[in-house]
Amino acid sequence: MTRLRCAALAGTALLFALPAHAQETPQTTAAADTGGGSTDIVVTAQRREQKLNDVGIAVSVISAKDLRALNINNATDIVRAIPNLKYNAYGSSQVVFNIRGVSQNDYGDQQEPPVAVYQDDSYASSITTAGFPIFDLARTEALRGPQGTLFGRNATGGAVQFISNQPSHDFGGYLSGTTGSFNQSVIEGALTGGLSDTLAARVAGIYDRDSGYIKNLLPGGKDMGGNNHWAVRGILQWDPTSDLRARLTVRYAGADGERQAGAYTLTPACPNAQFQGEFLGANQVCDYWNNYGGVSYNGGVPGSVANGYANPAITATQGGNPWQTYSAGDNFVNRKQFAATLRLEAKLGAFDVTSITDYQNLAKFYIESDDGVPGLPYVEGAALPPFTTGPCATAPSITCYASGTIFYQRARTQQITQELRAAATLGQNYLTFGAFGMLLTGNYTAKYATPFDQYDPLVRFYQRTRSFAVFAQDEFKFDDHWKLIVGARYWRDSKLAWYTGTESISGLSLNWGPSGINFFDPTGAADPANVTVKPSAATPTFDGVTARAELDFKPTPDTLLYASYNRGSKSGGFTFSTGTPFPGQALTDTLNNIPYRPETLNDYEVGLKTKIGPNVQFNLAAFYYDYKNYQAYVQVGYTQLVRNLPATIKGIEAELTAHPIDGLTIQGSGALQDSKVKNVLLPDGATLVEHNLPQAPGFSGNALVRYEFGMGGGRVSLQADALYTGKFCFSVLCAPDEREDAYHVENARIGVIPAGNKLELAVFVNNLFNRVYRSYAFDGSLYWGDALSVYGKPRTWGITARINFGQ
């Protein structure tokens, strides 16, 4: 930590000491409004502002105008507009983006995802910080494919950047409000202006609350899936000379009792011969839980989960309503996040120098219980007899059951990063080089208990990551048509971890760390001789080299053809189960499989970006991925772990934006892909199969049509957009209850801007045709006879008003 702080201070001091004799560094500008079809789109995919058609990377951009038109106010909403981008989340605090099938399904708070997420140069290292409210943005960029040179940190699958509107010396701002379904209230606003000749500021914020889209039918129970969060952001920009700029961004976001936890629809499932879940029909009895160790836990009730609860009326797979539940448990998340980023830009001779210092602090508590079942009160460490039932506390006339699950996660993390880079045009070369350092520490507590079958663990763990990297990239321009780009990055991670777990009912315990590895198995079935992992595995050092080589050809100023090789990597790490394992072989399997190796992705890609006339933009990319040591989240018996496996992906993507007549915008995108993960071992420990990567459908696409026209001195817009995804699996294990059929979702919006352009009004309907589909699924059939299923929101409507003032 001391070294990182010194590096940050040194970078800051260096920039303030630079001479004042260079031209002004350009400000970050919003993406251009493409309504006229002739304005170039600006992206920062190579850490500087460039025209989209000058960048040989598959980049999708959502402008500020489109963000508003699509009613996007959460990071995960951008999947509606970007090809081959998906997300996996069981709550607002656990979000993993998926690009071209590259993701990380391990839901541990300590995991870093393989798709890097940035907010104004601030890297979100944990899956707990990748989902957040978005507001007052200039644009969003999604970079598809490995970004291992300039972005580097765990960007195997790509990177997603959220770029805020920056301060202006001209006074201005806006205030908007939205109301709609489920008592929705969203208030958003921003204010900017100059504080002096050299100082400008911008302050923005959002408040988002609703009552939840899953109706809780249990008397006294709270509805599920509701928002209750707020966030503020302040940006202070100082330009003391034309050669130096300092920008301080401070962010704070909070959620208090947000009902974004355990928003599951009851989905009974029964393990098959390979110990994978299959949906249970209303008239079927799950023999696995009817004779578990010679005891009936489900009481022989047809169509029930493992504790015997059945209710076809709220079970979508049995013909019921997916947006209703009976839940007596606590289901909420508390989250507080603070971040501060200092960006300094200056010039040193021929070099533009940038320093980015970032600090983040996160505190989070997540809890879900009962998972859609009316549960009896949970008492930690209490062993309940099989098939225990009783009257519900808030509704004695209704039967409650022993809790199916009690799952919570508590995390407290701190992150410090420092990046220092320089860039210069030297003859025919554009050279960028620099260094990056990170210190990430976290303390975690978790529980995944199934009280109905006398299993009640508690785990605690700590993880520290010290990371360092150096990188360089050169763009050599042969002439106005040909360019060669080569780059490389060397990275090195040093990690330290401890993990302890106890199971309070049986007395089982384990300890894993640098000081030793040991366990107590009350049954005596686990053999210490089978523990092959060493304490040194808790203090590993990983390193590697990522690289980029690209050849660009521009036959015309508006057309780019490129062929590239990109090598990305993600560091190794640890799988810390939220529940301690069962006795015997499962115990030693868990200990031996905690560490996993880094993964490497070699991407071979060709692409085309071109303007067809003045009003049509067309992008095309074809790629082949060769994965080495893909970090696959799998399950061996009852043990969940990350296992390194080989994988391949090949695909083609196309995007088109057209303005055939004045006021008409047509956007469409589509992606075809085929992926394979080899040597996938199913939970029975014997069956090897080949499956697709998670959330990697054979075809997916997005479409939007918007028509704007004048009326009474103002402007009216009519818009419809749609998303389609082919069938896919939510995990690499692809259990039958984790398979999702193809679906499509449509949305509509009408907007009005009266004369003067100061007021904007809109009415919208999302999921216009009330489609039923899942956004998350996890096979929990072995744990409590259920597939944990989160269904997308039903049809919702809203009305938005926005007032613009100032400039």
Side-chain angles (χ1 to χ4, degrees):
M1 181 178 290
T2 300
R3 287 194 293 269
L4 274 175
R5 286 173 176 164
C6 289
L9 291 172
T12 303
L14 170 65
L15 286 175
F16 275 114
L18 295 179
H21 60 68
Q23 59 184 345
E24 182 179 4
T25 306
Q27 295 189 32
T28 301
T29 59
D33 181 355
T34 58
S38 60
T39 307
D40 290 307
I41 298 174
V42 175
V43 297
T44 53
Q46 297 190 109
R47 296 296 200 179
R48 73 183 195 276
E49 291 189 347
Q50 294 175 283
K51 296 178 182 179
L52 177 65
N53 282 14
D54 290 340
V55 179
I57 299 173
V59 187
S60 294
V61 181
I62 310 177
S63 68
K65 178 179 179 179
D66 285 337
L67 287 167
R68 294 198 303 272
L70 290 167
N71 309 304
I72 291 175
N73 56 26
N74 193 282
T76 55
D77 293 338
I78 65 172
V79 300
R80 292 167 47 193
I82 296 175
N84 252 345
L85 177 67
K86 308 288 187 294
Y87 75 92
N88 193 23
Y90 58 82
S92 58
S93 64
Q94 304 294 117
V95 175
V96 178
F97 283 105
N98 181 315
I99 295 180
R100 295 175 173 175
V102 178
S103 65
Q104 167 64 274
N105 279 23
D106 186 347
Y107 51 81
D109 281 332
Q110 83 283 4
Q111 298 292 8
E112 287 187 72
V115 175
V117 177
Y118 289 84
Q119 293 188 70
D120 295 325
D121 299 313
S122 179
Y123 167 62
S125 63
S126 170
I127 63 175
T128 63
T129 57
F132 44 81
I134 58 177
F135 54 97
D136 194 32
L137 293 187
R139 66 184 181 275
T140 297
E141 300 177 8
L143 287 62
R144 302 189 296 280
Q147 307 297 318
T149 304
L150 296 183
F151 283 89
R153 181 71 196 172
N154 289 345
T156 315
V160 180
Q161 299 188 82
F162 297 90
I163 301 168
S164 303
N165 285 317
Q166 299 302 314
S168 169
H169 282 273
D170 297 322
F171 175 76
Y174 69 91
L175 179 65
S176 72
T178 299
T179 185
S181 301
F182 309 110
N183 302 307
Q184 182 186 38
S185 297
V186 181
I187 300 173
E188 178 186 335
L191 186 66
T192 189
L195 304 179
S196 71
D197 291 341
T198 60
L199 195 63
R202 188 177 187 96
V203 179
I206 189 173
Y207 170 80
D208 189 344
R209 184 169 187 172
D210 61 70
S211 58
Y213 67 97
I214 300 178
K215 180 66 177 177
N216 195 345
L217 302 178
L218 183 70
K222 296 181 180 179
D223 293 343
M224 311 289 295
N227 292 313
N228 183 27
H229 59 253
W230 59 277
V232 293
R233 178 175 60 243
I235 306 176
L236 192 64
Q237 183 169 298
W238 182 44
D239 296 277
T241 71
S242 60
D243 310 313
L244 178 64
R245 166 169 295 154
R247 182 184 299 146
L248 176 65
T249 302
V250 178
R251 295 181 286 116
Y252 187 87
D256 186 13
E258 188 169 51
R259 304 289 292 177
Q260 287 279 348
Y264 303 121
T265 294
L266 187 68
T267 315
C270 188
N272 59 20
Q274 287 74 44
F275 293 159
Q276 291 194 288
E278 296 184 355
F279 294 127
L280 196 66
N283 297 318
Q284 292 178 297
V285 175
C286 180
D287 292 334
Y288 181 88
W289 289 107
N290 194 32
N291 186 19
Y292 183 71
V295 177
S296 175
Y297 282 85
N298 63 16
V301 177
S304 73
V305 291
N307 65 358
Y309 179 73
N311 191 340
I314 61 170
T315 303
T317 53
Q318 296 176 0
N321 189 328
W323 302 299
Q324 293 181 347
T325 188
Y326 278 85
S327 180
D330 290 323
N331 296 278
F332 65 87
V333 58
N334 293 332
R335 185 167 55 152
K336 293 179 174 61
Q337 182 180 6
F338 170 81
T341 307
L342 177 63
R343 179 187 176 100
L344 302 171
E345 301 171 352
K347 196 159 183 91
L348 181 62
F351 291 93
D352 296 311
V353 182
T354 303
S355 170
I356 301 171
T357 308
D358 184 62
Y359 171 78
Q360 295 182 41
N361 186 294
L362 170 74
K364 167 210 154 178
F365 178 73
Y366 174 102
I367 185 169
E368 65 182 54
S369 57
D370 300 342
D371 293 348
V373 170
L376 293 170
Y378 163 68
V379 179
E380 188 169 22
L384 299 176
F387 197 53
T388 298
T389 63
C392 294
T394 60
S397 62
I398 298 176
T399 299
C400 271
Y401 294 72
S403 295
T405 60
I406 302 292
F407 174 51
Y408 72 69
Q409 296 173 299
R410 190 186 301 274
R412 188 65 184 259
T413 65
Q414 289 190 343
Q415 173 187 314
I416 301 172
T417 62
Q418 172 64 46
E419 180 169 337
L420 186 64
R421 64 175 183 264
T425 299
L426 304 173
Q428 295 172 281
N429 300 274
Y430 185 83
L431 177 65
T432 303
F433 62 92
F436 172 85
M438 183 184 78
L439 175 63
L440 174 62
T441 60
N443 287 280
Y444 311 92
T445 305
K447 175 188 289 286
Y448 184 62
T450 52
F452 81 98
D453 69 345
Q454 301 86 50
Y455 177 67
D456 195 355
L458 180 69
V459 301
R460 293 184 174 88
F461 49 100
Y462 167 85
Q463 181 172 300
R464 185 192 69 200
T465 300
R466 289 175 174 167
S467 181
F468 174 76
V470 291
F471 56 89
Q473 177 172 292
D474 182 52
E475 302 179 27
F476 179 76
K477 193 173 183 180
F478 295 95
D479 52 35
D480 290 339
H481 302 291
W482 292 93
K483 184 188 342 183
L484 176 66
I485 302 175
V486 292
R489 185 184 189 100
Y490 171 77
W491 62 269
R492 181 183 177 90
D493 281 7
S494 298
K495 298 197 173 189
L496 170 66
W498 285 278
Y499 175 66
T500 64
T502 58
E503 202 286 298
S504 59
I505 296 176
S506 69
L508 182 148
S509 66
L510 61 84
N511 295 279
W512 190 97
S515 59
I517 298 172
N518 55 74
F519 64 85
F520 171 69
D521 181 355
T523 69
D527 186 354
N530 291 334
V531 177
T532 57
V533 66
K534 304 298 183 183
S536 59
T539 55
T541 296
F542 304 108
D543 65 352
V545 175
T546 58
R548 181 184 182 196
E550 177 180 314
L551 184 63
D552 291 352
F553 173 58
K554 296 204 71 173
T556 70
D558 291 328
T559 298
L560 171 67
L561 292 161
Y562 65 90
S564 66
Y565 165 77
N566 290 282
R567 178 185 177 93
S569 65
K570 179 174 178 290
S571 183
F574 313 99
T575 302
F576 293 137
S577 173
T578 53
T580 54
F582 283 78
Q585 185 66 37
L587 182 52
T588 55
D589 280 347
T590 295
L591 293 171
N592 291 332
N593 285 285
I594 286 177
Y596 56 84
R597 301 188 302 277
E599 66 179 14
T600 301
L601 178 58
N602 295 298
D603 169 30
Y604 306 89
E605 190 159 339
V606 294
L608 165 70
K609 296 182 179 183
T610 187
K611 283 186 176 179
I612 306 171
N615 298 324
V616 177
Q617 173 71 41
F618 178 68
N619 305 327
L620 184 69
F623 60 91
Y624 175 78
Y625 284 2
D626 183 14
Y627 237 131
K628 305 296 183 185
N629 292 320
Y630 163 59
Q631 295 169 1
Y633 186 57
V634 299
Q635 181 176 315
V636 179
Y638 296 98
T639 304
Q640 299 166 0
L641 52 93
V642 173
R643 175 166 285 173
N644 294 104
L645 298 175
T648 59
I649 319 171
K650 55 186 176 183
I652 186 168
E653 301 163 339
E655 297 176 277
L656 183 142
T657 299
H659 306 276
I661 61 174
D662 184 40
L664 179 62
T665 299
I666 300 174
Q667 295 176 340
S669 65
L672 290 167
Q673 64 181 14
D674 177 50
S675 63
K676 292 181 175 63
V677 182
K678 302 176 182 178
N679 303 327
V680 177
L681 183 66
L682 297 187
D684 62 1
T687 305
L688 281 174
V689 296
E690 184 179 278
H691 278 160
N692 293 333
L693 283 159
Q695 293 182 288
F699 175 76
S700 60
N702 310 76
L704 178 145
V705 177
R706 180 168 59 239
Y707 181 56
E708 302 180 33
F709 55 92
M711 179 180 290
R715 298 284 292 176
V716 176
S717 63
L718 307 176
Q719 176 181 295
D721 67 274
L723 174 150
Y724 174 87
T725 181
K727 61 182 180 180
F728 62 89
C729 291
F730 281 99
S731 84
V732 73
L733 290 171
C734 198
D737 59 7
E738 293 178 329
R739 299 171 187 171
E740 191 71 5
D741 290 333
Y743 64 85
H744 48 94
V745 181
E746 296 78 20
N747 313 292
R749 182 181 188 269
I750 300 174
V752 178
I753 302 178
N757 296 323
K758 295 298 183 181
L759 176 65
E760 299 178 35
L761 302 171
V763 58
F764 61 88
V765 180
N766 290 335
N767 195 359
L768 184 62
F769 301 106
N770 216 35
R771 308 293 188 190
V772 177
Y773 64 96
R774 293 187 297 176
S775 60
Y776 175 84
F778 173 78
D779 179 19
S781 60
L782 274 181
Y783 303 103
W784 83 284
D786 183 67
L788 282 72
S789 301
V790 177
Y791 280 80
K793 290 184 178 181
R795 181 190 300 114
T796 58
W797 63 270
I799 301 172
T800 297
R802 173 182 167 119
I803 300 174
N804 301 302
F805 50 87
Q807 60 177 355

